[in-house]
Structure formats: structure tokens, C-alpha cells
Amino acid sequence: MPLAPTIALRNGAAIPQIGFGTWPMDDREVEAAFGQALEIGYRHVDTAYNYRNERGVGAAIKSSGIAREEIWVTTKFNAEWHDKVDEAWEMAVDKLGVDYIDMFMVHWPNPRSGRYVQAVEGLKGLLDDGRIKAIGVSNFKPEHLDRVIAEAGVTPDVNQIELDPSVSRAGPRAYHSEHGIVTESWSPLGAGSDLLDNEVLKGIAETHGRTPAQVVLRWHMKLGLVAIPKSSNPERMRQNIDIFDFQLGEAETGELSALDRGESAATDSDRFGH
Ligand code: A2P
């Protein structure tokens, strides 16, 4: 199985375009599942303090025997540590059993606690001394990014947001492109929705002899996004990374983009966040 291609981030690091999503697996489940994913060819994992499964992710990395630097590890910290990012990093590397983190993310901006600019400043310190390779934020709106760029003088490498063809977030994507920020899609398969049953999507999948999930992930790739599908099933894990030997045409891409319901994300990060 070929590995996923990488995308260059603004600071030069290279992130594999498909990663392994781990929410809502617990330590035991993720250790087995990510272990299988590594065998299949995944080299990128997405976890978080809030998922309570960083130990399981770390155990899978360790027992895989794959060199640490071949695996891209993203984890996230929550609002409790926005002004204590060094402590958050210590906790994360301890649980993961690693000595650096590829990308550390502010999980939610939590604008009501008012410290997300400080959190990104903390990440800049970690980047400067090599404890992380990239600065990530998640669920940030353009106005949150505006503040970070103006007040911290730091442009994040990546913003991870909810994104799939039915919630395609054209506004945030355009903002990110303008600022050289890579967009990463969480719930790229539209978890919990009826996206994969859509008839237009099923028709395109049939044309290519692929599954609807593979076509959706190919759409993310075509738009230049990073996607982190979660699966606990080895057959579906395999499908989700076996998407680099077919292409979607312009018309098909357009038909998928037209599935956008024009809704904003399910979770409003001005109100919700850990
Ligand atoms: P499972 O873990 O049983 O495979 P998302 O990444 O958008 O959050 O979606 C995750 C959900 O989609 C999970 O319920 C997962 O179930 C399911 N899923 C993952 N990969 C596929 C696939 N290739 N086809 C259908 N469903 C999938």
C-alpha cells in the first residue's frame, strides 16, 4: 500500500495528507486500531488530551517498531492549559511516550476565557526550541485567526475544522489559503450524517468502482485538504487510504461541492469548546 503523499506546511514540515482519526476510541481500542492502521500504511495520527487515548496511541507507535520520525503525531490541549502550554506539552509527551510532538493544537478557541492568543504564543515557544514541528489550531474562525495573527504575530500552520462535502466551509478555506494556512478536515466522512448515502455521491462512486467514502476522501485531496477519517474496521481503514490511484474530474468535484447545505459547522466555537 503506498503511503499518503505529504503537504508542505508554511514552516517547512511535511504532513501526510491522510491521517488516522482516533475519536471516540479509548486507550485499549486505539492501541489495537492504530497498530493495524500503521501496518496498513498510515503514518499520521490525530489524538487529543480530551480524547483520553494518548497512551494507547503511544503504545501502538512503540510496538510498531516504526521509527518515530516516520510517524506524524498531532495532539491537542484544552482551555485549562491556554496559559500553561509548556505543562500541556510535558503531559502529552509523557502519555504518548515520545520526545517531540509533530503538531500541537489549541483544541478550541474558547473565546469566553480569552486566552487563545496566549496559547498560540506558547506554541511559538515550543516550535522555536524544537519541541514541536508545527503550530496547529482547531475550530478557529477567521476572526479568531485575525486576532492571533495581529496580536501574537504568528500564523498557524494548520487549522483543523469540521468539513465534508455537505459542510464545505468555502469561506474559512479561502481565508486559510490567503494566509498560507493548511485546512485539515475533521469528520471528513460526515460522521453521524447521511452523507455516504447520497445518490449523487453513490453514482460517482459507481463510475469509479470505488466506495462513497473513498470518493469523499478523494474530494478532500482534490481541494488540497488534510483529512483524518476514523475507522475501527481494518477493511474500511484500508479503503480510506487507498485513494491515490484514481482522480475525480472537474465536473464530479463540482457536483460533490454542490452538496454543501450552506450550513455553518455543527458546533459554534464561540459557544462550544473544552
Ligand atoms: P467504523 O469505525 O465502524 O468504520 P469520520 O471520520 O467522518 O468521523 O467518520 C467516522 C465514522 O465513519 C465512523 O462511524 C466509521 O465507522 C465510519 N467509517 C469510516 N470509514 C468508513 C468507510 N470507508 N465507509 C463507511 N463508513 C466509514
Side-chain angles (χ1 to χ4, degrees):
M1 174 82 64
L3 303 181
T6 57
I7 289 189
L9 302 181
R10 52 184 303 119
N11 71 24
I15 185 171
Q17 215 177 345
I18 289 283
F20 188 69
T22 64
W23 187 84
M25 299 186 206
D26 63 16
D27 276 323
R28 191 188 301 197
E29 191 185 358
V30 87
E31 182 176 351
F34 186 48
Q36 285 168 317
L38 284 165
E39 279 175 28
I40 287 167
Y42 286 78
R43 291 294 180 272
H44 169 179
V45 65
D46 182 87
T47 178
Y49 174 89
N50 285 339
Y51 304 167
R52 301 178 186 203
N53 62 16
E54 289 167 304
R55 285 188 197 282
V57 167
I61 294 172
K62 193 165 182 204
S63 56
S64 73
I66 297 168
R68 165 70 187 92
E69 60 277 12
E70 286 180 27
I71 304 172
W72 180 279
V73 179
T74 293
T75 191
K76 322 183 189 80
F77 59 99
N78 69 24
E80 202 180 329
W81 285 278
H82 280 189
D83 56 354
K84 293 176 283 195
V85 178
D86 282 23
E87 264 178 58
W89 183 88
E90 292 288 348
M91 267 188 332
V93 294
D94 178 59
K95 288 192 193 140
L96 287 160
V98 295
D99 55 12
Y100 70 93
I101 295 168
D102 292 277
M103 182 155 63
F104 208 20
M105 280 187 164
V106 186
H107 201 154
W108 292 89
N110 289 84
R112 280 191 282 206
S113 26
R115 292 174 308 184
Y116 63 82
V117 172
Q118 223 179 321
V120 173
E121 283 167 349
L123 287 176
K124 179 73 168 65
L126 296 179
L127 182 74
D128 287 345
D129 62 20
R131 284 181 284 172
I132 64 174
K133 307 278 185 211
I135 293 177
V137 296
S138 185
N139 304 300
F140 275 43
K141 297 183 182 181
E143 59 260 37
H144 304 139
L145 290 164
D146 275 341
R147 269 200 64 196
V148 164
I149 294 166
E151 294 175 33
V154 177
T155 302
D157 291 285
V158 171
N159 188 17
Q160 184 188 114
I161 58 173
E162 182 182 9
L163 202 162
D164 68 64
S166 68
V167 187
S168 75
R169 319 289 305 273
R173 281 193 281 114
Y175 178 99
H176 297 163
S177 302
E178 253 170 58
H179 291 85
I181 299 169
V182 167
T183 306
E184 185 170 321
S185 310
W186 66 255
S187 279
L189 299 173
S193 77
D194 53 7
L195 173 68
L196 298 181
D197 295 324
N198 179 276
E199 292 303 326
V200 172
L201 169 59
K202 285 206 251 179
I204 296 173
E206 225 165 87
T207 309
H208 289 276
R210 297 291 174 139
T211 67
Q214 287 179 307
V215 168
V216 168
L217 291 168
R218 192 65 225 180
W219 174 86
H220 288 270
M221 302 299 100
K222 176 102 177 173
L223 267 54
L225 313 172
V226 174
I228 47 168
K230 172 266 169 187
S231 181
S232 306
N233 172 294
E235 175 46 36
R236 290 193 282 277
M237 288 177 201
R238 210 167 274 119
Q239 266 184 36
N240 295 348
I241 200 166
D242 184 16
I243 56 166
F244 295 102
D245 57 353
F246 76 106
Q247 295 281 350
L248 295 174
E250 291 304 326
E252 292 170 326
T253 306
E255 282 178 64
L256 293 170
S257 297
L259 299 180
D260 185 33
R261 291 195 288 252
E263 292 165 9
S264 55
T267 35
D268 179 353
S269 63
D270 278 323
R271 294 159 195 278
F272 178 83
H274 302 279

